[in-house]
Amino acid sequence: MAIIEVSGLHKAYGDKKAVDDVSFAVEKGEIFGILGPNGAGKTTTVECVEGLRRPDRGSVLVAGYDPIADRGSVTRVLGAQLQENELQPKITVQETLELYAACYPDPADWRALAERLGIADKLRARFAKLSGGQKQRLFIALALIGNPTVVVLDELTTGLDPRARRDTWQLIEDIRDSGVTVLLVTHFMEEAQRLCDRIALIDKGRITALDTPSGLIGRTASGTEISFKPSTALDLRQLTALPAAASVTEKGGRVVVKGTDETVSAVLSLLAGQGITAHQLRVVEASLDDAYLDLTGADA
C-alpha cells in the first residue's frame, strides 16, 4: 500500500524547470531513495512532499493527505530532516529535544530517543560543540520525535567522515526496522545501493529510471569485469568465444574480459583446463555508479 503518492509533479522557478512531470509511489515500510546529481530536482521534489513548496501542477498525497491543504494532518504523520539544518549554538541537546517534543500532542519519549540514537551522553552539550555525526543524530531525533509514520531524510550524510556515514546508515536501517517509512534523498551511490529498497533516478527534473538497486545495476552495459596476468601465453580468441563475453583486451601483459558472471566462470574454467595460472586476478562487478552513468549519461 502506497503511503506517499506523487503524480505529475511540476515546479518551476522563473524559466527554470526544477521538477518536470515527476511521478512515483512509496510503499509503506520501505526505504525509497531519490538519487541524482546536485541541481537535479531532488530537494524540490521532497519539499513538495513535505509541504514546504507548493507545486505548480500535479498532486502529492502523504498517508492520504495533501501536504498543502491538510498541512496539520501531514505534520502529525511526517517527520523531516532538511538538507540544511542549524540550531542556536548555545542550546543544549536536552533543551532542543524538550522544545521539539513540546510541539507535538503525543511525542516520543525524547530520553529513549536520545539513548537509541547514541546521544544520551551529550544531553548537556551545546549544539556548537557537537561533531558532525552527533549533529546528524540529533537532527534524526528531531525528525522522529513526533512519532511519524514517514520520515524524509535529505542529504543526511553529506560532509560526514566514512565511519560516521556508515554509523548513520545503520541508524536509517534501524528506523525502517521500527516500522517507519523512509524517503531518502542522496547523491551517494554506495549509500543508495546499501540502504534503498527502490530508487528513483532524477536528472534535470525528470525521473530517468525507477527500480530496485539490483534492477538498475542489471540494466547497465558495464557488466562484470575479470582481469589477470596469465602465467603463459594465451590465445585471446578463445576468450572472445566465451559465453556473454562483451570485450577482450590486453595491455602490458594484463588481460581484461568484460561480460557477465557466467563469463567469469567460463574464463576460470578455460584457464584451469589449460593449466594456466591467473596472476593478480581481479573481478569487479557492475555498481550503481555504472548504472547511473549508463541510464542518465551524467556524472555521479
Side-chain angles (χ1 to χ4, degrees):
M1 182 176 64
I3 195 166
I4 299 175
E5 298 176 83
V6 177
S7 180
L9 186 66
H10 289 259
K11 182 64 181 179
Y13 303 106
D15 296 332
K16 178 178 174 55
K17 291 182 179 180
V19 179
D20 186 14
D21 195 26
V22 165
S23 300
F24 61 87
V26 179
E27 302 300 318
K28 187 175 181 180
E30 74 175 337
I31 299 178
F32 186 93
I34 296 182
L35 179 64
N38 292 331
K42 307 185 302 296
T43 292
T44 296
T45 298
V46 298
E47 285 179 345
C48 290
V49 172
E50 295 161 338
L52 300 177
R53 301 278 182 185
R54 184 184 294 272
D56 297 330
R57 297 199 309 277
S59 64
V60 178
L61 292 176
V62 179
Y65 299 113
D66 183 309
I68 301 297
D70 307 312
R71 184 169 182 81
S73 297
V74 169
T75 57
R76 287 193 290 272
V77 298
L78 184 144
Q81 174 269 331
L82 305 180
Q83 187 180 56
E84 295 184 7
N85 296 278
E86 197 59 58
L87 294 171
Q88 290 292 330
K90 292 186 178 181
I91 194 170
T92 67
V93 171
Q94 180 170 335
E95 289 168 343
T96 303
L97 293 170
E98 289 177 333
L99 176 63
Y100 275 67
C103 296
Y104 295 93
D106 183 28
D109 182 344
W110 63 261
R111 295 174 184 82
L113 203 53
E115 185 70 34
R116 174 183 168 194
L117 293 175
I119 53 174
D121 62 338
K122 296 294 180 180
L123 292 179
R124 295 185 180 182
R126 300 189 186 278
F127 178 76
K129 298 297 184 181
L130 300 178
S131 68
Q134 291 163 350
K135 288 179 179 178
Q136 292 296 56
R137 288 169 182 263
L138 175 58
F139 288 130
I140 294 174
L142 298 181
L144 296 174
I145 205 162
N147 276 323
T149 55
V150 179
V151 64
V152 179
L153 305 174
D154 190 353
E155 303 287 7
L156 183 65
T157 61
T158 297
L160 297 185
D161 61 64
R163 179 173 295 279
R165 181 175 294 130
R166 290 181 181 275
D167 288 344
T168 303
W169 292 349
Q170 184 60 57
L171 290 175
I172 295 172
E173 291 174 329
D174 291 344
I175 291 168
R176 187 268 307 278
D177 292 344
S178 71
V180 178
T181 302
V182 178
L183 180 59
L184 177 68
V185 182
T186 184
H187 63 263
F188 290 118
M189 303 297 160
E190 183 183 4
E191 181 168 287
Q193 186 169 344
R194 167 172 166 171
L195 294 176
C196 298
D197 297 298
R198 291 186 299 137
I199 298 170
L201 295 183
I202 295 185
D203 188 34
K204 298 177 182 177
R206 300 183 67 89
I207 290 181
T208 58
L210 198 164
D211 206 336
T212 63
S214 60
L216 293 174
I217 293 170
R219 301 187 200 184
T220 181
S222 299
T224 302
E225 177 182 289
I226 179 172
S227 62
F228 58 93
K229 286 189 173 183
S231 58
T232 60
L234 176 65
D235 185 353
L236 299 186
R237 291 174 297 181
Q238 294 178 293
L239 298 174
T240 304
L242 293 177
S247 67
V248 178
T249 58
E250 188 272 334
K251 185 176 181 180
R254 188 170 191 82
V255 177
V256 179
V257 182
K258 293 185 178 181
T260 66
D261 290 345
E262 182 183 5
T263 310
V264 172
S265 297
V267 169
L268 296 176
S269 295
L270 175 66
L271 296 178
Q274 297 187 12
I276 298 174
T277 301
H279 296 294
Q280 300 177 23
L281 178 67
R282 184 181 181 191
V283 178
V284 179
E285 295 184 346
S287 67
L288 197 57
D289 290 87
D290 300 313
Y292 183 83
L293 293 173
D294 285 348
L295 293 169
T296 67
D299 291 333

